[in-house]
Amino acid sequence: MRTGDVPALEGDPSDDGIDGLDARHEPAPSFVAGVAAPEPVGKEARGALPAGADTAGNSACREAALSYARRGWAVLPLRPRGKEPLTEHGVRDATTDPAKIEEWWNRWPDANVGIATGAVSGLVVLDVDPRNGGDEGLRDLLGRHGGWGIPADEGGYPETHTVLTGGGGVHYYFAVEGPAPSRKLAPGVDLKGDGGYVVAPPSLHPSGQSYMAEDSTEHLSPVPAPAWILRAAGARKAPLYRELEGGPVHEGQRNECLASLAGKLRRDGLSAEEIATALLAVNAARCLPPLPEDEVRRIADSVSRYPAGTLAEAAPAETSDPIEYFTNEKGTWRRKKDRDGRVVVDQLATFSARITREITVDDGEAQEREFEIEATVNGRTKRFTVRASEFAAMDWVLEHLGAQAVVMPVPSAKDHLRAAIQQLSGSVPDDRIFTHLGWREVDGRHVFLHAGGAVGADGVRTRPPADLQRFVLPAPPSQQHLCSIIREVLPRLTNVAAPPTAWTLLGAAFLPTLFEPDFAIHLTGPSGARKTELAALVQRFYGAGMDARNLPASWRSTWNALETLAFLSKDCVLVVDDFAPTGSVQDVTALYRSAEQLIRGAGNRAGRQRLGRDARLQSGRRSRCLILSTGEDIPPGLSLRARLWTSDVEPGDVQLQVLTELQRRGAEGAFAALLAGWLAWMAADFMAIRAKAREMFESRRNELAASRHGRTASAQAALEATVRVVLEFCVQVGAFTQGEADELFRRAVAAFNEGASSQAAAQRESDPARRFLDLLRSALGSGKAHIADVSGDCPDTKPGVLGWRETGATMGGEWRPQGACIGWVDSEHIYLDPSAALAAAQQAAPASEPFAITSRALGGALKQGKYLASTDESRGKNKVRKTINGVRREVFVLPIGALLEGSREVEL
């Protein structure tokens, strides 16, 4: 066999997001490596193409992907001559659906093909990388474990499906059942399991070499993974093939030998069929004479009645009957024969229980299994749900059934009771419950999940958390009723407040159903301005029960709670009310930290990574909704302001009579009915509508990019595209004429342009350079710092402004410096000591709103804001070297007016 060099680990690289909404990977152009491909080494160099050679291209990878899918291996498209996934969620998008595969390769005809590893495909792949010591690592592993532990050829290589990689290496494919972690087993030796994937033939490596199946194994199926590999990775064990190499087993010993082996395999978690396969192999190789096949299978079936992974006896004699479980009014029992053939009955518990339904709980990112259980104790029946991960331990008995439910103190009672419940439950129906809201594909259709079910399908079960239980939508109204609601609600909503605010409310109500936002909306204004009531109008589109006093979230909630709600309220508006920095310094700091994490996470579409119960790294629970925030203040910081579309609500802006009427109609369900009608319209042509909206968004964002901050342009384009699609919907259902819709859209664009101007002003106010200068003026004016002339004396120009105080006539009218010296001044410029000036600014900042920035970042902000009169371009630095008062210093050079006059900008 086979080869030497193996490519580096092929993981699931993180996506590089792009600015804008609902970003997707686009295929990278093909490229040719700039260096020659490495020469493969080893016994034979099969499967390699000359450097720069190509394969059959799109048709080859497309057909290979379809072929792998028919084998039950989930596939995904990868970048041409690359390893990075092209789909939004990477390996999590892997599928065996032929239609989806055809769609991918129609979109990316030159894509490489990847195979997802782990339980999704029933595969693990051993990846050996000699460039990182893989040859030595594999030899060490085989030496410690006594070889592969499975049949191997004369060269010592496992007889399983094997791929020679484009980098000159090897992937060994093995079959598994159930979870199989991805692990590094040794230097250069990695096991690709759950969450991983490999590049598969006939994909092209960046070097131009192709991935190809090794000739002698091309038509082999993956064999079960060797026990030591899965044991080293922390998964369950595989068949003990080493038993094949033992001595002969004669009559009188055959049943005991095979039953003992079956017990070991069952404790390792193997299924009845896997056990039977292993027993038949040992029976044929060692038993003299071999037992009949049906007798061997009876041994496997008998032992398989024991719970997987238990230590219960698993070696019944040839005449033993299998354990039998039964229930009566007194509880759960087991019946078996002892060694003397007598029937023995043991009570396992004082209650009986059945699994009535298996439930897959789906939050859109991860899935968890639960069991609905019906149990009877002392004639009383109770129904409850238990997580599958908790079921095995049987610790749920007291919690759900009380003190009268007793598990008897007999050996292995819990194990037998668990097995009895599973065995006596028979065939159990399964179901799926969604814990998130928003769009989801169910049975090939796009439906919108809410707390009461789904718009677009019947019988869909949902179970969002308590704070999202009010997100309930009615059945879509008739077209006539829908038109009536539109003509009544939309004109009022666009006139309830000042145009920038009113049109923002309308856009916000529908936007998350069209796009995945990369910004949040914030309504700010003094107490009594009715900003919370306005936000509640938008929230009522998603449920009539959510008014100003029953909103789903508040800035007073913990960060973990806000993160979870923003994750589960997918494709919906989530109002987070009352951003008001009050209380202790710790309270204000915690509020700012929550705002920083939530808004930045929404803007970056990223969440905190975390460890699961099994200590595996899990993806972060990113915000999947549109956050609509309210508050008397705006979350501070330039980067946060850039991620906010802010709308000022002043006293008197809100038309109270219109607001009252809208609140009445919202409470009656008109808003929710309107959204249900909109969602039903979208579901009928989901992909086309979203694609059209995306085109509108990108076109408008490109138009605005020249005159807006990048994120401001993105937010405005998203709001405008949303309103435009909503108005098209209104025209199609007959609520507005095209002329009416065009006029409304003209008003919307004017309002959003006005709103964009406010965004620019808010961003300027949060500019760190501008704030730095404001804080310096405060420090100088309060006597905490001073600026001297270049000789170290009192400056001639406005010393009182620069931190000097006149002592008075009794002291000779002298000027004396106050606080520390932070810089020097001449007739044209101010030369600031970066460290001293920054320290003075930070000391002048209030404790509730600290000025957190480094000297390096401050220099960049001053340059970007055009506050620096000169820089050191030769060194690429914003500090300039200057001799002041006989000392060589590095200083920020500002025009004198930057501090004395307030905000003079200079062109460099």
Side-chain angles (χ1 to χ4, degrees), residues 291 329 543 582 736 791 795:
L291 288 170
E329 69 279 0
T582 58
F736 294 152
S791 62

Side-chain angles (χ1 to χ4, degrees), residues 776-786 800-805 817-820:
L776 279 192
R777 294 188 195 97
S778 176
L780 294 169
S782 61
K784 296 179 181 177
H786 75 275
V801 177
L802 297 178
W804 294 72
R805 296 291 180 270
Q818 306 295 303

Side-chain angles (χ1 to χ4, degrees), residues 772 776 779-780 784-797 799 801-804 817-826 829-841 882-885 887 889-894 896 899:
F772 168 70
L776 279 192
L780 294 169
K784 296 179 181 177
H786 75 275
I787 293 176
D789 69 10
V790 290
S791 62
D793 297 327
C794 177
D796 295 331
T797 304
V801 177
L802 297 178
W804 294 72
Q818 306 295 303
C821 180
I822 63 171
W824 303 266
V825 62
D826 59 20
H829 299 108
I830 291 177
Y831 308 98
L832 291 178
D833 181 297
S835 298
L838 179 56
K882 186 173 179 62
T883 300
I884 301 176
N885 198 18
V887 179
R889 308 177 189 273
E890 286 196 343
V891 294
F892 291 138
V893 182
L894 284 73
I896 194 169
L899 279 176

Side-chain angles (χ1 to χ4, degrees), residues 151 224 239-247 249 257-258 261 265 273-288 290-293 296-297 300:
L240 303 179
Y241 285 95
R242 201 173 301 168
E243 296 289 338
L244 292 168
E245 302 172 2
V249 181
C257 173
L258 294 181
L261 173 58
L265 298 177
E273 186 58 34
E274 289 175 317
I275 295 172
T277 299
L279 294 188
L280 288 169
V282 173
N283 181 54
R286 297 177 55 194
C287 291
L288 299 175
L291 288 170
E293 179 177 343
V296 176
R297 290 191 176 276

Side-chain angles (χ1 to χ4, degrees), residues 16 18 23-31 58 77-88 103-112:
D16 294 326
I18 61 173
R24 298 287 191 270
H25 281 300
E26 294 299 330
S30 298
F31 65 93
N58 59 346
L78 309 177
R79 288 187 183 273
R81 291 198 180 193
K83 301 177 182 181
E84 299 83 3
L86 291 170
T87 60
E88 179 183 12
E103 177 188 330
W104 281 339
W105 264 267
N106 285 337
R107 181 178 180 187
W108 299 301
D110 297 321
N112 275 351

Side-chain angles (χ1 to χ4, degrees), residues 683-857:
D685 199 8
F686 181 81
M687 298 302 293
I689 292 172
R690 290 196 105 177
K692 185 175 183 179
R694 180 72 187 182
E695 290 176 4
M696 294 178 183
F697 160 75
E698 291 178 346
S699 175
R700 182 57 172 160
R701 181 182 61 179
N702 292 338
E703 292 176 7
L704 295 170
S707 59
R708 304 277 193 275
H709 183 284
R711 289 187 178 271
T712 300
S714 178
Q716 182 177 348
L719 287 165
E720 287 187 13
T722 299
V723 170
R724 186 173 172 185
V725 177
V726 169
L727 292 174
E728 287 189 10
F729 157 71
C730 295
V731 171
Q732 287 191 24
V733 300
F736 294 152
T737 66
Q738 187 61 55
E740 290 171 331
D742 290 344
E743 173 57 23
L744 287 170
F745 186 64
R746 185 194 64 76
R747 290 170 48 196
V749 171
F752 290 134
N753 282 332
E754 184 180 345
S757 299
S758 299
Q759 312 310 306
Q763 288 162 12
R764 283 195 298 271
E765 291 176 3
S766 59
D767 178 5
R770 184 183 293 265
R771 188 170 183 225
F772 168 70
L773 296 175
D774 288 341
L775 291 171
L776 279 192
R777 294 188 195 97
S778 176
L780 294 169
S782 61
K784 296 179 181 177
H786 75 275
I787 293 176
D789 69 10
V790 290
S791 62
D793 297 327
C794 177
D796 295 331
T797 304
K798 298 185 178 180
V801 177
L802 297 178
W804 294 72
R805 296 291 180 270
E806 193 171 13
T807 59
T810 58
M811 300 295 293
E814 296 181 2
W815 288 90
R816 293 193 176 183
Q818 306 295 303
C821 180
I822 63 171
W824 303 266
V825 62
D826 59 20
S827 59
E828 296 181 355
H829 299 108
I830 291 177
Y831 308 98
L832 291 178
D833 181 297
S835 298
L838 179 56
Q842 291 174 331
Q843 291 172 3
S848 61
E849 193 173 346
F851 184 58
I853 192 171
T854 65
S855 176
R856 181 184 181 89

